[in-house]
Amino acid sequence: MKPRVDYTLYLCTDRELMSEDTLEKSVELAIQGGVTVVQLREKDCSGREFLQVAREVKQITDAYEIPLIINDRIDIAMAVDADGVHLGQSDIPAHTARELLGPDKIIGVSAYNKELAVEAQKEGADYLGVGDIFGTSTKAGTHHVEIDTLSRICQAVKIPVVAIGGINLSNVTKLAGTGIQGTAVISAIIASKNITEAATKMLSLLKNEVIVNSPKA
């Protein structure tokens, strides 16, 4: 059975930015601060290393009953029995991923305009990652998405929309009223000196000022 997911505070990992010595510790501290979903995003490591990291992180997410999403790598997701995958526009289509993973796994798809968002929903995506909203240093070749466009995407689809791209404590409230059901955060949490505190503050803003004002909330 597919898990019911709270996308409010969606952590994307980045080992190059983390303030702690290990990724497992970083993830655990973030979850203790209120992170509701974890995406393991490893762009610069071998498949063998990615698999090992995924196994270690999954022990943490399982212990706290937090969904673990694997970025891009369906094979890794299947190998560790992760809760799902997140696919970019250059990855395999969502409907193909569904055939491989089955009906009970979560499939997220990146989108930067309404047409791509609607197409991803038709292909069976469970949620959308929409951005780059405020600019990002963690991913090259992104497409900037205006807040008005984000709102139009939210209005055009029935599945949850998660905003991503340079989101931090100083700008997250600008997303109030757009219709998003969560924000994906990387450096604002993982690079913080106090990861738990950073996550707690972000979750509070989301629940009290952003998601609470969402038409879809």
PDB file of all heavy atoms in Angstrom, residues 15-33:
ATOM      1  N   ARG A  15      26.040  15.924   0.443  1.00  0.00           N
ATOM      2  CA  ARG A  15      27.159  15.649   1.349  1.00  0.00           C
ATOM      3  C   ARG A  15      28.235  16.734   1.303  1.00  0.00           C
ATOM      4  O   ARG A  15      28.996  16.898   2.256  1.00  0.00           O
ATOM      5  CB  ARG A  15      27.767  14.287   1.030  1.00  0.00           C
ATOM      6  CG  ARG A  15      26.869  13.130   1.454  1.00  0.00           C
ATOM      7  CD  ARG A  15      27.588  11.799   1.385  1.00  0.00           C
ATOM      8  NE  ARG A  15      27.884  11.410   0.017  1.00  0.00           N
ATOM      9  CZ  ARG A  15      28.596  10.331  -0.301  1.00  0.00           C
ATOM     10  NH1 ARG A  15      29.086   9.559   0.652  1.00  0.00           N
ATOM     11  NH2 ARG A  15      28.809  10.029  -1.571  1.00  0.00           N
ATOM     12  N   GLU A  16      28.308  17.461   0.203  1.00  0.00           N
ATOM     13  CA  GLU A  16      29.325  18.513   0.098  1.00  0.00           C
ATOM     14  C   GLU A  16      28.984  19.734   0.954  1.00  0.00           C
ATOM     15  O   GLU A  16      29.865  20.520   1.300  1.00  0.00           O
ATOM     16  CB  GLU A  16      29.498  18.927  -1.364  1.00  0.00           C
ATOM     17  CG  GLU A  16      30.093  17.845  -2.242  1.00  0.00           C
ATOM     18  CD  GLU A  16      30.353  18.316  -3.651  1.00  0.00           C
ATOM     19  OE1 GLU A  16      30.085  19.510  -3.934  1.00  0.00           O
ATOM     20  OE2 GLU A  16      30.811  17.513  -4.467  1.00  0.00           O
ATOM     21  N   LEU A  17      27.724  19.907   1.280  1.00  0.00           N
ATOM     22  CA  LEU A  17      27.292  21.083   2.044  1.00  0.00           C
ATOM     23  C   LEU A  17      27.072  20.815   3.523  1.00  0.00           C
ATOM     24  O   LEU A  17      27.007  21.754   4.315  1.00  0.00           O
ATOM     25  CB  LEU A  17      25.986  21.630   1.448  1.00  0.00           C
ATOM     26  CG  LEU A  17      26.036  22.202   0.032  1.00  0.00           C
ATOM     27  CD1 LEU A  17      24.631  22.581  -0.422  1.00  0.00           C
ATOM     28  CD2 LEU A  17      26.956  23.415  -0.023  1.00  0.00           C
ATOM     29  N   MET A  18      26.951  19.561   3.904  1.00  0.00           N
ATOM     30  CA  MET A  18      26.519  19.247   5.269  1.00  0.00           C
ATOM     31  C   MET A  18      27.528  19.715   6.312  1.00  0.00           C
ATOM     32  O   MET A  18      28.745  19.665   6.105  1.00  0.00           O
ATOM     33  CB  MET A  18      26.261  17.748   5.416  1.00  0.00           C
ATOM     34  CG  MET A  18      27.462  16.858   5.252  1.00  0.00           C
ATOM     35  SD  MET A  18      26.982  15.106   5.276  1.00  0.00           S
ATOM     36  CE  MET A  18      28.607  14.333   5.306  1.00  0.00           C
ATOM     37  N   SER A  19      27.011  20.152   7.434  1.00  0.00           N
ATOM     38  CA  SER A  19      27.842  20.664   8.525  1.00  0.00           C
ATOM     39  C   SER A  19      28.296  19.557   9.465  1.00  0.00           C
ATOM     40  O   SER A  19      29.255  19.741  10.221  1.00  0.00           O
ATOM     41  CB  SER A  19      27.066  21.723   9.318  1.00  0.00           C
ATOM     42  OG  SER A  19      25.870  21.177   9.848  1.00  0.00           O
ATOM     43  N   GLU A  20      27.640  18.418   9.431  1.00  0.00           N
ATOM     44  CA  GLU A  20      28.007  17.285  10.276  1.00  0.00           C
ATOM     45  C   GLU A  20      29.006  16.377   9.556  1.00  0.00           C
ATOM     46  O   GLU A  20      29.195  16.471   8.347  1.00  0.00           O
ATOM     47  CB  GLU A  20      26.757  16.494  10.664  1.00  0.00           C
ATOM     48  CG  GLU A  20      25.814  17.232  11.590  1.00  0.00           C
ATOM     49  CD  GLU A  20      26.400  17.425  12.978  1.00  0.00           C
ATOM     50  OE1 GLU A  20      27.155  16.545  13.446  1.00  0.00           O
ATOM     51  OE2 GLU A  20      26.104  18.464  13.596  1.00  0.00           O
ATOM     52  N   ASP A  21      29.597  15.464  10.297  1.00  0.00           N
ATOM     53  CA  ASP A  21      30.612  14.581   9.736  1.00  0.00           C
ATOM     54  C   ASP A  21      30.028  13.494   8.839  1.00  0.00           C
ATOM     55  O   ASP A  21      30.683  13.032   7.905  1.00  0.00           O
ATOM     56  CB  ASP A  21      31.426  13.917  10.856  1.00  0.00           C
ATOM     57  CG  ASP A  21      32.280  14.913  11.613  1.00  0.00           C
ATOM     58  OD1 ASP A  21      32.657  15.952  11.026  1.00  0.00           O
ATOM     59  OD2 ASP A  21      32.568  14.661  12.802  1.00  0.00           O
ATOM     60  N   THR A  22      28.821  13.046   9.147  1.00  0.00           N
ATOM     61  CA  THR A  22      28.210  11.968   8.362  1.00  0.00           C
ATOM     62  C   THR A  22      26.831  12.361   7.867  1.00  0.00           C
ATOM     63  O   THR A  22      26.129  13.163   8.496  1.00  0.00           O
ATOM     64  CB  THR A  22      28.071  10.676   9.187  1.00  0.00           C
ATOM     65  OG1 THR A  22      27.100  10.874  10.227  1.00  0.00           O
ATOM     66  CG2 THR A  22      29.406  10.264   9.790  1.00  0.00           C
ATOM     67  N   LEU A  23      26.447  11.776   6.748  1.00  0.00           N
ATOM     68  CA  LEU A  23      25.133  12.056   6.188  1.00  0.00           C
ATOM     69  C   LEU A  23      24.030  11.494   7.076  1.00  0.00           C
ATOM     70  O   LEU A  23      22.980  12.122   7.252  1.00  0.00           O
ATOM     71  CB  LEU A  23      25.031  11.460   4.781  1.00  0.00           C
ATOM     72  CG  LEU A  23      23.761  11.795   3.993  1.00  0.00           C
ATOM     73  CD1 LEU A  23      23.603  13.302   3.841  1.00  0.00           C
ATOM     74  CD2 LEU A  23      23.793  11.127   2.626  1.00  0.00           C
ATOM     75  N   GLU A  24      24.291  10.330   7.652  1.00  0.00           N
ATOM     76  CA  GLU A  24      23.283   9.726   8.526  1.00  0.00           C
ATOM     77  C   GLU A  24      22.955  10.641   9.701  1.00  0.00           C
ATOM     78  O   GLU A  24      21.791  10.810  10.069  1.00  0.00           O
ATOM     79  CB  GLU A  24      23.750   8.367   9.062  1.00  0.00           C
ATOM     80  CG  GLU A  24      24.173   7.381   7.990  1.00  0.00           C
ATOM     81  CD  GLU A  24      25.662   7.435   7.735  1.00  0.00           C
ATOM     82  OE1 GLU A  24      26.435   6.720   8.401  1.00  0.00           O
ATOM     83  OE2 GLU A  24      26.057   8.224   6.858  1.00  0.00           O
ATOM     84  N   LYS A  25      23.993  11.247  10.297  1.00  0.00           N
ATOM     85  CA  LYS A  25      23.782  12.160  11.428  1.00  0.00           C
ATOM     86  C   LYS A  25      23.027  13.405  10.977  1.00  0.00           C
ATOM     87  O   LYS A  25      22.112  13.873  11.661  1.00  0.00           O
ATOM     88  CB  LYS A  25      25.124  12.555  12.037  1.00  0.00           C
ATOM     89  CG  LYS A  25      25.012  13.439  13.280  1.00  0.00           C
ATOM     90  CD  LYS A  25      24.315  12.711  14.419  1.00  0.00           C
ATOM     91  CE  LYS A  25      24.334  13.522  15.692  1.00  0.00           C
ATOM     92  NZ  LYS A  25      23.626  12.835  16.805  1.00  0.00           N
ATOM     93  N   SER A  26      23.389  13.921   9.811  1.00  0.00           N
ATOM     94  CA  SER A  26      22.708  15.103   9.280  1.00  0.00           C
ATOM     95  C   SER A  26      21.230  14.831   9.068  1.00  0.00           C
ATOM     96  O   SER A  26      20.372  15.639   9.439  1.00  0.00           O
ATOM     97  CB  SER A  26      23.351  15.521   7.955  1.00  0.00           C
ATOM     98  OG  SER A  26      24.698  15.883   8.123  1.00  0.00           O
ATOM     99  N   VAL A  27      20.932  13.683   8.489  1.00  0.00           N
ATOM    100  CA  VAL A  27      19.538  13.319   8.221  1.00  0.00           C
ATOM    101  C   VAL A  27      18.770  13.126   9.529  1.00  0.00           C
ATOM    102  O   VAL A  27      17.633  13.598   9.672  1.00  0.00           O
ATOM    103  CB  VAL A  27      19.471  12.045   7.353  1.00  0.00           C
ATOM    104  CG1 VAL A  27      18.046  11.488   7.309  1.00  0.00           C
ATOM    105  CG2 VAL A  27      19.974  12.339   5.942  1.00  0.00           C
ATOM    106  N   GLU A  28      19.390  12.469  10.483  1.00  0.00           N
ATOM    107  CA  GLU A  28      18.705  12.231  11.756  1.00  0.00           C
ATOM    108  C   GLU A  28      18.399  13.546  12.472  1.00  0.00           C
ATOM    109  O   GLU A  28      17.289  13.740  12.992  1.00  0.00           O
ATOM    110  CB  GLU A  28      19.534  11.328  12.656  1.00  0.00           C
ATOM    111  CG  GLU A  28      18.822  10.984  13.952  1.00  0.00           C
ATOM    112  CD  GLU A  28      19.494   9.870  14.728  1.00  0.00           C
ATOM    113  OE1 GLU A  28      20.706   9.636  14.521  1.00  0.00           O
ATOM    114  OE2 GLU A  28      18.803   9.235  15.548  1.00  0.00           O
ATOM    115  N   LEU A  29      19.352  14.461  12.500  1.00  0.00           N
ATOM    116  CA  LEU A  29      19.132  15.756  13.146  1.00  0.00           C
ATOM    117  C   LEU A  29      18.026  16.542  12.446  1.00  0.00           C
ATOM    118  O   LEU A  29      17.213  17.207  13.089  1.00  0.00           O
ATOM    119  CB  LEU A  29      20.427  16.561  13.145  1.00  0.00           C
ATOM    120  CG  LEU A  29      21.534  16.062  14.074  1.00  0.00           C
ATOM    121  CD1 LEU A  29      22.826  16.827  13.814  1.00  0.00           C
ATOM    122  CD2 LEU A  29      21.121  16.195  15.534  1.00  0.00           C
ATOM    123  N   ALA A  30      17.992  16.454  11.113  1.00  0.00           N
ATOM    124  CA  ALA A  30      16.954  17.152  10.353  1.00  0.00           C
ATOM    125  C   ALA A  30      15.578  16.572  10.640  1.00  0.00           C
ATOM    126  O   ALA A  30      14.595  17.309  10.801  1.00  0.00           O
ATOM    127  CB  ALA A  30      17.266  17.069   8.864  1.00  0.00           C
ATOM    128  N   ILE A  31      15.492  15.263  10.722  1.00  0.00           N
ATOM    129  CA  ILE A  31      14.214  14.619  11.047  1.00  0.00           C
ATOM    130  C   ILE A  31      13.766  15.008  12.452  1.00  0.00           C
ATOM    131  O   ILE A  31      12.580  15.275  12.695  1.00  0.00           O
ATOM    132  CB  ILE A  31      14.337  13.085  10.914  1.00  0.00           C
ATOM    133  CG1 ILE A  31      14.514  12.689   9.444  1.00  0.00           C
ATOM    134  CG2 ILE A  31      13.108  12.399  11.500  1.00  0.00           C
ATOM    135  CD1 ILE A  31      14.826  11.221   9.230  1.00  0.00           C
ATOM    136  N   GLN A  32      14.707  15.062  13.377  1.00  0.00           N
ATOM    137  CA  GLN A  32      14.365  15.473  14.747  1.00  0.00           C
ATOM    138  C   GLN A  32      13.836  16.905  14.786  1.00  0.00           C
ATOM    139  O   GLN A  32      13.067  17.264  15.684  1.00  0.00           O
ATOM    140  CB  GLN A  32      15.592  15.324  15.651  1.00  0.00           C
ATOM    141  CG  GLN A  32      15.967  13.875  15.923  1.00  0.00           C
ATOM    142  CD  GLN A  32      17.279  13.716  16.658  1.00  0.00           C
ATOM    143  OE1 GLN A  32      18.025  14.689  16.843  1.00  0.00           O
ATOM    144  NE2 GLN A  32      17.586  12.512  17.088  1.00  0.00           N
ATOM    145  N   GLY A  33      14.240  17.707  13.805  1.00  0.00           N
ATOM    146  CA  GLY A  33      13.742  19.077  13.720  1.00  0.00           C
ATOM    147  C   GLY A  33      12.417  19.214  12.995  1.00  0.00           C
ATOM    148  O   GLY A  33      11.838  20.300  12.979  1.00  0.00           O
TER     149      GLY A  33
END
